[in-house]
Short mmCIF file of all heavy atoms in Angstrom, two decimals:
data_model
loop_
_atom_site.label_atom_id
_atom_site.label_comp_id
_atom_site.label_asym_id
_atom_site.label_seq_id
_atom_site.Cartn_x
_atom_site.Cartn_y
_atom_site.Cartn_z
N SER A 164 -7.92 14.60 2.70
CA SER A 164 -8.40 15.07 1.43
C SER A 164 -9.90 14.88 1.30
O SER A 164 -10.46 14.08 2.15
CB SER A 164 -7.66 14.46 0.26
OG SER A 164 -7.95 13.06 0.25
N VAL A 165 -10.51 15.42 0.28
CA VAL A 165 -11.93 15.19 0.13
C VAL A 165 -12.25 13.71 -0.19
O VAL A 165 -13.23 13.10 0.42
CB VAL A 165 -12.49 16.05 -1.03
CG1 VAL A 165 -13.85 15.57 -1.44
CG2 VAL A 165 -12.40 17.47 -0.78
N GLY A 166 -11.38 13.07 -1.03
CA GLY A 166 -11.51 11.66 -1.21
C GLY A 166 -11.43 10.84 0.00
O GLY A 166 -12.11 9.78 0.11
N ASP A 167 -10.45 11.14 0.95
CA ASP A 167 -10.24 10.39 2.12
C ASP A 167 -11.55 10.63 3.06
O ASP A 167 -12.07 9.59 3.61
CB ASP A 167 -9.09 10.88 2.94
CG ASP A 167 -7.80 10.65 2.17
OD1 ASP A 167 -7.69 9.57 1.49
OD2 ASP A 167 -6.92 11.55 2.22
N LYS A 168 -11.97 11.72 3.16
CA LYS A 168 -13.24 12.11 3.99
C LYS A 168 -14.43 11.32 3.35
O LYS A 168 -15.31 10.82 4.14
CB LYS A 168 -13.43 13.52 4.14
CG LYS A 168 -12.45 14.18 5.05
CD LYS A 168 -12.60 15.69 5.13
CE LYS A 168 -11.56 16.35 6.01
NZ LYS A 168 -11.73 17.76 6.22
N ASN A 169 -14.59 11.34 2.10
CA ASN A 169 -15.67 10.62 1.42
C ASN A 169 -15.66 9.07 1.68
O ASN A 169 -16.67 8.44 1.92
CB ASN A 169 -15.83 10.89 -0.08
CG ASN A 169 -16.22 12.30 -0.47
OD1 ASN A 169 -16.77 13.02 0.41
ND2 ASN A 169 -15.85 12.82 -1.59
N ALA A 170 -14.38 8.63 1.68
CA ALA A 170 -14.26 7.20 1.97
C ALA A 170 -14.64 6.77 3.20
O ALA A 170 -15.33 5.84 3.56
CB ALA A 170 -12.80 6.80 1.65
N ARG A 171 -14.33 7.67 4.26
CA ARG A 171 -14.62 7.49 5.70
C ARG A 171 -16.12 7.52 5.92
O ARG A 171 -16.75 6.76 6.69
CB ARG A 171 -13.92 8.39 6.66
CG ARG A 171 -12.52 7.94 6.89
CD ARG A 171 -11.96 8.71 7.99
NE ARG A 171 -11.78 10.23 7.90
CZ ARG A 171 -10.72 10.80 7.25
NH1 ARG A 171 -9.76 10.18 6.81
NH2 ARG A 171 -10.78 12.17 7.15
N ASP A 172 -16.78 8.48 5.16
CA ASP A 172 -18.20 8.56 5.33
C ASP A 172 -18.84 7.31 4.98
O ASP A 172 -19.76 6.86 5.60
CB ASP A 172 -18.74 9.65 4.36
CG ASP A 172 -18.61 11.14 4.92
OD1 ASP A 172 -18.45 11.19 6.10
OD2 ASP A 172 -18.67 11.97 4.16
N LYS A 173 -18.32 6.72 3.81
CA LYS A 173 -19.10 5.39 3.34
C LYS A 173 -18.55 4.29 4.36
O LYS A 173 -19.38 3.29 4.52
CB LYS A 173 -18.44 5.11 1.95
CG LYS A 173 -18.93 5.99 0.87
CD LYS A 173 -18.59 5.62 -0.45
CE LYS A 173 -19.10 6.72 -1.56
NZ LYS A 173 -18.56 6.56 -2.87
N GLN A 174 -17.36 4.27 5.00
CA GLN A 174 -17.01 3.27 5.94
C GLN A 174 -17.90 3.50 7.19
O GLN A 174 -18.17 2.44 7.89
CB GLN A 174 -15.53 3.47 6.23
CG GLN A 174 -14.61 3.13 5.14
CD GLN A 174 -13.24 3.50 5.26
OE1 GLN A 174 -12.88 4.06 6.24
NE2 GLN A 174 -12.38 3.13 4.35
N ILE A 175 -18.21 4.61 7.62
CA ILE A 175 -19.20 4.82 8.75
C ILE A 175 -20.50 4.17 8.43
O ILE A 175 -21.05 3.51 9.17
CB ILE A 175 -19.41 6.28 9.04
CG1 ILE A 175 -18.11 6.88 9.66
CG2 ILE A 175 -20.44 6.65 9.89
CD1 ILE A 175 -18.03 8.40 9.74
N LEU A 176 -21.05 4.39 7.10
CA LEU A 176 -22.30 3.72 6.78
C LEU A 176 -22.26 2.15 6.84
O LEU A 176 -23.04 1.50 7.42
CB LEU A 176 -22.75 4.05 5.45
CG LEU A 176 -23.21 5.46 5.32
CD1 LEU A 176 -23.37 5.88 3.77
CD2 LEU A 176 -24.52 5.76 6.12
N GLN A 177 -21.11 1.68 6.39
CA GLN A 177 -20.89 0.17 6.46
C GLN A 177 -20.79 -0.24 7.76
O GLN A 177 -21.37 -1.34 8.23
CB GLN A 177 -19.49 -0.20 5.73
CG GLN A 177 -19.17 -1.66 5.57
CD GLN A 177 -18.04 -2.09 4.77
OE1 GLN A 177 -17.51 -1.16 4.05
NE2 GLN A 177 -17.49 -3.19 5.06
N LEU A 178 -20.01 0.44 8.74
CA LEU A 178 -20.02 0.13 10.04
C LEU A 178 -21.31 0.03 10.73
O LEU A 178 -21.71 -0.85 11.46
CB LEU A 178 -19.05 1.00 10.72
CG LEU A 178 -18.95 0.96 12.36
CD1 LEU A 178 -18.23 -0.39 12.72
CD2 LEU A 178 -18.16 2.02 12.89
N ALA A 179 -22.18 1.14 10.57
CA ALA A 179 -23.38 1.20 11.20
C ALA A 179 -24.41 -0.08 10.70
O ALA A 179 -25.09 -0.62 11.56
CB ALA A 179 -24.24 2.57 10.71
N ASN A 180 -24.27 -0.45 9.42
CA ASN A 180 -25.08 -1.55 8.94
C ASN A 180 -24.54 -2.72 9.62
O ASN A 180 -25.37 -3.75 9.95
CB ASN A 180 -24.97 -1.62 7.46
CG ASN A 180 -25.79 -0.53 6.73
OD1 ASN A 180 -26.76 0.00 7.30
ND2 ASN A 180 -25.31 -0.05 5.57
N PHE A 181 -23.22 -2.83 9.76
CA PHE A 181 -22.61 -4.18 10.37
C PHE A 181 -23.04 -4.25 11.82
O PHE A 181 -23.43 -5.29 12.31
CB PHE A 181 -21.09 -3.95 10.27
CG PHE A 181 -20.25 -5.23 10.64
CD1 PHE A 181 -20.65 -6.54 10.10
CD2 PHE A 181 -19.16 -5.08 11.24
CE1 PHE A 181 -19.92 -7.54 10.45
CE2 PHE A 181 -18.28 -6.21 11.45
CZ PHE A 181 -18.86 -7.55 11.09
N LEU A 182 -23.11 -3.10 12.54
CA LEU A 182 -23.64 -3.15 13.97
C LEU A 182 -25.04 -3.55 14.00
O LEU A 182 -25.51 -4.27 14.91
CB LEU A 182 -23.35 -1.74 14.55
CG LEU A 182 -21.93 -1.49 15.03
CD1 LEU A 182 -21.83 0.07 15.25
CD2 LEU A 182 -21.39 -2.30 16.17
N ASP A 183 -25.80 -3.04 13.02
CA ASP A 183 -27.20 -3.36 13.06
C ASP A 183 -27.57 -4.80 12.80
O ASP A 183 -28.38 -5.49 13.40
CB ASP A 183 -27.94 -2.59 11.95
CG ASP A 183 -28.49 -1.25 12.35
OD1 ASP A 183 -28.39 -0.89 13.52
OD2 ASP A 183 -28.79 -0.40 11.43
N LEU A 184 -26.74 -5.44 11.93
CA LEU A 184 -26.89 -6.79 11.68
C LEU A 184 -26.51 -7.68 12.67
O LEU A 184 -27.17 -8.77 12.98
CB LEU A 184 -26.25 -7.14 10.19
CG LEU A 184 -26.85 -6.65 9.01
CD1 LEU A 184 -25.93 -6.76 7.85
CD2 LEU A 184 -28.23 -7.15 8.74
N ARG A 185 -25.36 -7.41 13.33
CA ARG A 185 -24.79 -8.36 14.24
C ARG A 185 -25.13 -8.12 15.69
O ARG A 185 -25.12 -9.08 16.59
CB ARG A 185 -23.22 -8.27 14.21
CG ARG A 185 -22.64 -8.88 12.94
CD ARG A 185 -21.03 -8.95 13.14
NE ARG A 185 -20.63 -9.67 14.26
CZ ARG A 185 -20.52 -11.07 14.12
NH1 ARG A 185 -20.45 -11.62 13.12
NH2 ARG A 185 -19.89 -11.68 15.25
N SER A 186 -25.62 -6.87 16.11
CA SER A 186 -25.63 -6.48 17.53
C SER A 186 -26.92 -5.69 17.83
O SER A 186 -26.81 -4.92 18.72
CB SER A 186 -24.37 -5.70 17.93
OG SER A 186 -23.18 -6.20 17.58
N PRO A 187 -28.05 -6.18 17.36
CA PRO A 187 -29.20 -5.37 17.86
C PRO A 187 -29.46 -5.83 19.33
O PRO A 187 -29.34 -6.97 19.65
CB PRO A 187 -30.29 -5.90 16.90
CG PRO A 187 -29.82 -7.14 16.43
CD PRO A 187 -28.28 -7.10 16.28
N TYR A 188 -29.79 -4.71 20.12
CA TYR A 188 -30.19 -4.91 21.49
C TYR A 188 -29.03 -5.28 22.36
O TYR A 188 -29.16 -5.70 23.51
CB TYR A 188 -31.35 -5.94 21.61
CG TYR A 188 -32.48 -5.93 20.58
CD1 TYR A 188 -32.69 -6.84 19.81
CD2 TYR A 188 -33.09 -4.72 20.47
CE1 TYR A 188 -33.56 -6.88 18.82
CE2 TYR A 188 -34.10 -4.61 19.59
CZ TYR A 188 -34.40 -5.69 18.73
OH TYR A 188 -35.32 -5.58 17.77
N ARG A 189 -27.86 -5.42 21.82
CA ARG A 189 -26.65 -5.99 22.59
C ARG A 189 -25.74 -4.90 22.83
O ARG A 189 -25.57 -3.81 22.36
CB ARG A 189 -25.98 -7.07 21.83
CG ARG A 189 -26.86 -8.32 21.64
CD ARG A 189 -26.21 -9.23 20.59
NE ARG A 189 -24.92 -9.74 21.00
CZ ARG A 189 -24.60 -10.59 21.99
NH1 ARG A 189 -25.43 -11.13 22.61
NH2 ARG A 189 -23.35 -10.89 22.22
N ALA A 190 -24.94 -4.95 24.03
CA ALA A 190 -23.92 -4.06 24.66
C ALA A 190 -22.75 -4.26 23.51
O ALA A 190 -22.28 -5.28 23.14
CB ALA A 190 -23.49 -4.40 25.90
N VAL A 191 -22.22 -3.04 23.16
CA VAL A 191 -21.15 -2.93 22.19
C VAL A 191 -19.95 -2.15 22.78
O VAL A 191 -20.24 -1.04 23.18
CB VAL A 191 -21.59 -2.38 20.84
CG1 VAL A 191 -20.57 -2.07 19.82
CG2 VAL A 191 -22.69 -3.38 20.21
N ILE A 192 -18.67 -2.56 22.47
CA ILE A 192 -17.53 -1.70 22.61
C ILE A 192 -16.85 -1.73 21.28
O ILE A 192 -16.65 -2.84 20.62
CB ILE A 192 -16.56 -2.33 23.80
CG1 ILE A 192 -17.23 -2.16 25.10
CG2 ILE A 192 -15.27 -1.57 23.61
CD1 ILE A 192 -16.31 -2.85 26.15
N LEU A 193 -16.42 -0.58 20.73
CA LEU A 193 -15.71 -0.40 19.47
C LEU A 193 -14.41 0.29 19.72
O LEU A 193 -14.46 1.34 20.22
CB LEU A 193 -16.66 0.26 18.50
CG LEU A 193 -15.89 0.81 17.25
CD1 LEU A 193 -15.38 -0.40 16.41
CD2 LEU A 193 -16.73 1.81 16.38
N ALA A 194 -13.34 -0.38 19.55
CA ALA A 194 -12.08 0.28 19.46
C ALA A 194 -11.77 0.60 18.01
O ALA A 194 -11.88 -0.29 17.17
CB ALA A 194 -10.98 -0.64 20.07
N CYS A 195 -11.16 1.87 17.70
CA CYS A 195 -10.94 2.18 16.35
C CYS A 195 -9.90 3.22 16.11
O CYS A 195 -9.84 4.24 16.97
CB CYS A 195 -12.27 2.69 15.81
SG CYS A 195 -12.28 2.84 14.03
N ASP A 196 -8.95 2.91 15.15
CA ASP A 196 -8.16 4.15 14.65
C ASP A 196 -9.00 4.79 13.69
O ASP A 196 -9.21 4.36 12.49
CB ASP A 196 -6.86 3.46 14.05
CG ASP A 196 -6.03 4.50 13.45
OD1 ASP A 196 -6.49 5.76 13.38
OD2 ASP A 196 -4.93 4.25 12.96
N THR A 197 -9.66 5.86 14.03
CA THR A 197 -10.60 6.48 13.16
C THR A 197 -10.04 7.31 12.07
O THR A 197 -10.62 7.63 11.00
CB THR A 197 -11.59 7.54 13.97
OG1 THR A 197 -10.70 8.71 14.58
CG2 THR A 197 -12.21 6.85 15.07
N ASN A 198 -8.73 7.80 12.24
CA ASN A 198 -8.04 8.48 11.18
C ASN A 198 -8.89 9.73 10.65
O ASN A 198 -8.79 10.03 9.47
CB ASN A 198 -7.74 7.54 10.02
CG ASN A 198 -6.29 6.92 10.08
OD1 ASN A 198 -5.43 7.67 10.55
ND2 ASN A 198 -6.19 5.80 9.56
N MET A 199 -9.58 10.39 11.57
CA MET A 199 -10.30 11.49 11.14
C MET A 199 -9.50 12.81 11.04
O MET A 199 -10.08 13.96 11.01
CB MET A 199 -11.56 11.71 12.17
CG MET A 199 -12.55 10.60 11.89
SD MET A 199 -13.99 10.71 12.98
CE MET A 199 -14.88 9.21 12.42
N GLY A 200 -8.17 12.70 11.06
CA GLY A 200 -7.38 13.85 10.94
C GLY A 200 -6.99 14.59 12.11
O GLY A 200 -7.67 14.54 13.16
N GLU A 201 -5.87 15.28 12.11
CA GLU A 201 -5.30 16.01 13.39
C GLU A 201 -6.38 16.97 13.88
O GLU A 201 -6.58 17.30 15.02
CB GLU A 201 -4.05 16.64 13.09
CG GLU A 201 -2.84 15.58 12.83
CD GLU A 201 -2.72 14.61 14.10
OE1 GLU A 201 -2.82 15.18 15.26
OE2 GLU A 201 -2.47 13.48 13.92
N ASP A 202 -7.11 17.61 12.89
CA ASP A 202 -8.09 18.57 13.23
C ASP A 202 -9.38 18.03 13.67
O ASP A 202 -10.16 18.61 14.17
CB ASP A 202 -8.33 19.66 12.07
CG ASP A 202 -8.82 18.94 10.83
OD1 ASP A 202 -8.68 17.75 10.67
OD2 ASP A 202 -9.07 19.60 9.99
N LEU A 203 -9.56 16.69 13.34
CA LEU A 203 -10.72 15.84 13.73
C LEU A 203 -11.99 16.65 13.37
O LEU A 203 -12.62 17.28 14.14
CB LEU A 203 -10.74 15.48 15.19
CG LEU A 203 -11.90 14.57 15.72
CD1 LEU A 203 -11.79 13.37 14.97
CD2 LEU A 203 -11.83 14.43 17.07
N ASP A 204 -12.44 16.39 12.30
CA ASP A 204 -13.66 16.94 11.69
C ASP A 204 -14.81 16.47 12.59
O ASP A 204 -15.21 15.33 12.64
CB ASP A 204 -14.03 16.42 10.27
CG ASP A 204 -15.15 17.11 9.62
OD1 ASP A 204 -16.04 17.73 10.40
OD2 ASP A 204 -15.41 16.98 8.53
N PRO A 205 -15.38 17.50 13.46
CA PRO A 205 -16.39 17.09 14.43
C PRO A 205 -17.59 16.70 13.85
O PRO A 205 -18.45 15.80 14.35
CB PRO A 205 -16.59 18.44 15.30
CG PRO A 205 -16.16 19.53 14.24
CD PRO A 205 -15.01 18.92 13.49
#
Side-chain angles (χ1 to χ4, degrees):
S164 71
V165 172
D167 295 324
K168 292 181 179 180
N169 288 341
R171 282 195 298 274
D172 281 340
K173 292 179 180 178
Q174 289 168 4
I175 289 169
L176 288 172
Q177 183 180 340
L178 173 65
N180 289 330
F181 195 36
L182 287 166
D183 272 350
L184 289 172
R185 287 188 61 94
S186 303
Y188 320 118
R189 292 170 56 77
V191 168
I192 293 174
L193 166 69
C195 190
D196 176 355
T197 64
N198 264 325
M199 289 183 182
E201 293 300 322
D202 57 348
L203 186 60
D204 184 347

